[in-house]
Amino acid sequence: MSRKVTDKAVGNREARHAHVIIVGSGFSGLGLAIRLSQQGRTDYLVLERGSDVGGTWRDNTYPGAACDVPSQLYSYSFALNPEWSRSFSKQPEIQRYIQGVADKSGVRDHHIFNCEMIGAQWNAADARWEIQTSQGAFTADILVSAVGALCEPNLPDIKGINDFQGEIFHSARWNHDSDLTGKRVAVIGTGASAIQIVPAIAPKVAQLDVYQRTAPWLLPRGDREYFGPEKFALKHVPALRALYRAGIYAARETQVVGLAKFPPAMLALEAVARAKLFAEVRDPALRKKVTPNFRIGCKRMLISNEYYPAISRDNVDVVTDGIKEIRANAVVTKDGTVREVDAIIVATGFHVTDSPVYDTVSGRDGRTLAEVFDAIGQQGYKGSAIHNYPNMFFMLGPNVGLGHTSMVFMIESQINYIADAVEQIDKLGLRTVEVRKDVQDEFNVELQRKLQGAVWSTGGCASWYLDKHGNNTTLWPDFTFRFRGLLENFDVSAYETTNEPVAQAV
């Protein structure tokens, strides 16, 4: 059943109404829009705050930006890309792929770009969501959050950072008008973005200071360009693309044994990382600085063949003393050292467990997501629904993240679940669906039980995987095919439901 997008009154304003509204058009929001379109629906809208599809791959355009999942696995299963140029794709190629999928699917007409959600409240009387945006008011019977976890830059709380007189920007908001050639540059952070940025800019800057709080584990990056006959075969033999994809998936899935089932098994991978570190960092003092003090996998594992050689350059220093303050033209560390700089690149990641978006969504009892999560932690049901938020679903919700393989696999699992939920809601004539609290609680007790034995809990590190309650609310602690099985169909029995009122005969 497909309904029309219409206009309805909200207070004194006219609001545009859709049966389903999706907020965000990265891999998850775009994928769900395509699935709804494949179901024959025209009664949905996608609200995207940016000027195009792509999400994190639209926004992260810093030098060296690339994916750490092999290309053949980093795509929709229903739109395998025959044009990948290399085994690990760079940002421009991934963004072109996403744009191409959007164009071919014909869903752009359902998008409203440059439309940022400012707030959303559940209206119990009308059983609909009322949404305020930068382009006016909207209402929806079903609201889907597809804003993603890596969309809100996390700026460090450092004394004097606002007083810096040079160029300063976050890695996810790269200033392409800035020319760093010959300048003294500071990079704050040594996470996934930083280890790509540092090798890209080190050869052209005069001096590069890399401020490291925690040394990451690095593994070899098996990246290469596809050779000519291989490109031809991948383009013209779909079975070969499927074979590559299956092989990569199976190989990556073996890491779950060490990550979530038997952490000592990670020692073999750690030995590879240690050998790489020893071979690529010959200076003993520097090697000591960048040797992690936790079990590999406890924090995000990174891949790079260029980072260690870059920090070994004469014009690069790794600084491990904490930052005390930032002055107009310098960074001051806690040992009192003053290092003058012309530019600062903030590569400190994103708000994952404390996204500002959580402050904007109010549920059935009036509490925002931020208030609910503050009280009980970031909990949900199958990463796709949260008690107190009727008729709302989440792409990449609590405990859907991965540390070893493609998030697109998890995204497609959720697309299956949410698209089926929309169909069941219409088929059964349901007015509201809200996951039962007892079901959500039981799901999370089992989830945290599994996480207790995982490397993220036993590996001796603190990471952004954990919320303020000390719980890992970010990662899925099992094989991804089990997640796929759990979300194969919408389990309406796990939800409290109300029915549409029956029309009375006149």
Side-chain angles (χ1 to χ4, degrees):
M1 174 180 168
S2 186
R3 315 175 191 189
K4 292 183 178 179
V5 176
T6 59
D7 293 329
K8 289 187 177 181
V10 177
N12 295 321
R13 306 184 311 278
E14 196 74 16
R16 192 173 182 185
H17 179 82
H19 187 40
V20 182
I21 284 183
I22 303 167
V23 180
S25 192
F27 258 109
S28 58
L30 176 62
L32 180 58
I34 292 171
R35 178 63 60 83
L36 295 179
S37 181
Q38 290 172 341
Q39 291 177 341
R41 292 187 171 278
T42 59
D43 53 358
Y44 69 90
L45 289 173
V46 183
L47 309 183
E48 168 54 56
R49 71 178 182 181
S51 59
D52 200 355
V53 299
T56 189
W57 294 108
R58 178 198 61 228
D59 295 340
N60 285 267
T61 60
Y62 57 80
C67 191
D68 57 5
V69 174
S71 304
Q72 299 299 331
L73 190 58
Y74 203 74
S75 57
Y76 297 116
S77 64
F78 55 82
L80 298 186
N81 184 11
E83 303 287 351
W84 292 128
S85 65
R86 58 190 312 115
S87 55
F88 284 83
S89 301
K90 298 182 182 297
Q91 178 270 333
E93 194 169 14
I94 297 172
Q95 177 63 358
R96 286 196 299 271
Y97 164 74
I98 298 171
Q99 291 170 323
V101 172
D103 293 339
K104 291 176 183 177
S105 66
V107 300
R108 282 186 180 271
D109 289 344
H110 291 270
H111 281 65
I112 302 178
F113 293 108
N114 300 305
C115 182
E116 182 172 8
M117 184 179 75
I118 300 169
Q121 300 82 35
W122 173 247
N123 181 325
D126 295 332
R128 69 185 183 191
W129 283 93
E130 296 181 348
I131 305 157
Q132 299 80 46
T133 78
S134 58
Q135 292 200 35
F138 293 80
T139 61
D141 302 313
I142 300 168
L143 177 63
V144 181
S145 170
V147 296
L150 306 181
C151 66
E152 294 292 341
N154 182 23
L155 299 175
D157 184 16
I158 300 174
K159 179 183 177 183
I161 193 169
N162 294 324
D163 299 325
F164 184 66
Q165 297 300 303
E167 298 173 88
I168 182 169
F169 47 88
H170 192 277
S171 59
R173 302 290 184 268
W174 193 270
N175 180 6
H176 289 278
D177 293 328
S178 173
D179 184 4
L180 300 177
T181 304
K183 293 184 177 179
R184 300 164 298 179
V185 180
V187 172
I188 301 177
T190 52
S193 299
I195 68 156
Q196 296 180 341
I197 293 169
V198 168
I201 68 173
K204 67 179 182 180
V205 302
Q207 172 64 31
L208 179 57
D209 299 323
V210 181
Y211 288 85
Q212 171 190 282
R213 184 173 61 180
T214 306
W217 281 112
L218 264 62
L219 292 167
R221 184 181 182 87
D223 187 23
R224 63 180 179 82
E225 286 191 30
Y226 290 136
F227 52 87
E230 188 179 20
K231 281 184 181 179
F232 181 86
L234 285 169
K235 183 173 182 177
H236 297 284
V237 184
L240 183 61
R241 294 198 298 270
L243 183 63
Y244 268 48
R245 185 181 180 93
I248 295 167
Y249 173 78
R252 290 271 171 149
E253 205 69 358
T254 62
Q255 294 183 28
V256 176
V257 176
L259 290 170
K261 306 295 183 182
F262 184 64
M266 296 299 292
L267 289 173
L269 207 56
E270 190 170 308
V272 173
R274 286 187 183 277
K276 175 182 173 64
L277 174 58
F278 185 83
E280 296 181 2
V281 182
R282 305 309 298 169
D283 178 18
L286 177 59
R287 188 188 307 140
K288 183 178 180 181
K289 277 185 178 182
V290 297
T291 299
N293 59 359
F294 53 87
R295 176 71 52 82
I296 192 170
C298 187
K299 296 172 75 73
R300 182 177 176 181
M301 295 179 289
L302 307 178
I303 59 173
S304 176
N305 298 332
E306 301 172 330
Y307 180 71
Y308 285 151
I311 61 174
S312 299
R313 292 173 58 96
D314 292 338
N315 68 327
V316 179
D317 286 329
V318 176
V319 183
T320 56
D321 298 305
I323 298 175
K324 178 182 178 181
E325 64 176 329
I326 293 176
R327 296 178 182 171
N329 66 340
V331 178
V332 184
T333 48
K334 292 179 180 178
D335 64 351
T337 302
V338 178
R339 295 176 175 84
E340 294 187 352
V341 292
D342 304 304
I344 297 175
I345 298 167
V346 180
T348 49
F350 301 86
H351 290 280
V352 177
T353 60
D354 61 343
S355 173
V357 174
Y358 298 159
D359 291 308
T360 67
V361 181
S362 301
R364 175 176 43 77
D365 64 2
R367 288 186 299 165
T368 64
L369 276 168
E371 290 170 326
V372 170
F373 289 160
D374 185 63
I376 65 172
Q378 191 174 333
Q379 298 180 16
Y381 178 61
K382 298 184 177 181
S384 305
I386 297 174
H387 179 70
N388 190 54
Y389 297 86
N391 290 20
M392 185 172 186
F393 296 98
F394 297 81
M395 298 294 297
L396 303 177
N399 291 102
V400 176
L402 299 172
H404 70 288
T405 192
S406 175
M407 280 303 301
V408 182
F409 185 90
M410 304 294 273
I411 286 169
E412 287 197 36
S413 301
Q414 291 192 285
I415 289 172
N416 293 340
Y417 187 77
I418 296 172
D420 190 49
V422 175
E423 281 204 333
Q424 293 299 317
I425 287 169
D426 289 353
K427 179 180 178 181
L428 299 175
L430 301 178
R431 191 168 188 254
T432 64
V433 295
E434 179 183 353
V435 66
R436 290 165 29 205
K437 187 175 186 305
D438 63 311
V439 171
Q440 178 174 299
D441 289 346
E442 182 180 352
F443 180 83
N444 280 277
V445 167
E446 176 63 13
L447 200 63
Q448 292 302 319
R449 184 191 67 77
K450 288 183 176 181
L451 282 162
Q452 288 309 304
V455 69
W456 311 298
S457 301
T458 62
C461 74
S463 73
W464 55 266
Y465 295 153
L466 309 180
D467 68 8
K468 73 170 194 174
H469 298 274
N471 293 322
N472 187 328
T473 60
T474 308
L475 297 177
W476 173 248
D478 209 334
F479 296 104
T480 60
F481 58 78
R482 288 186 174 158
F483 185 80
R484 175 65 59 90
L486 279 176
L487 278 73
E488 186 175 3
N489 300 111
F490 180 64
D491 47 347
V492 68
S493 62
Y495 291 74
E496 296 173 353
T497 64
T498 62
N499 293 88
E500 292 281 8
V502 178
Q504 299 294 319
V506 178

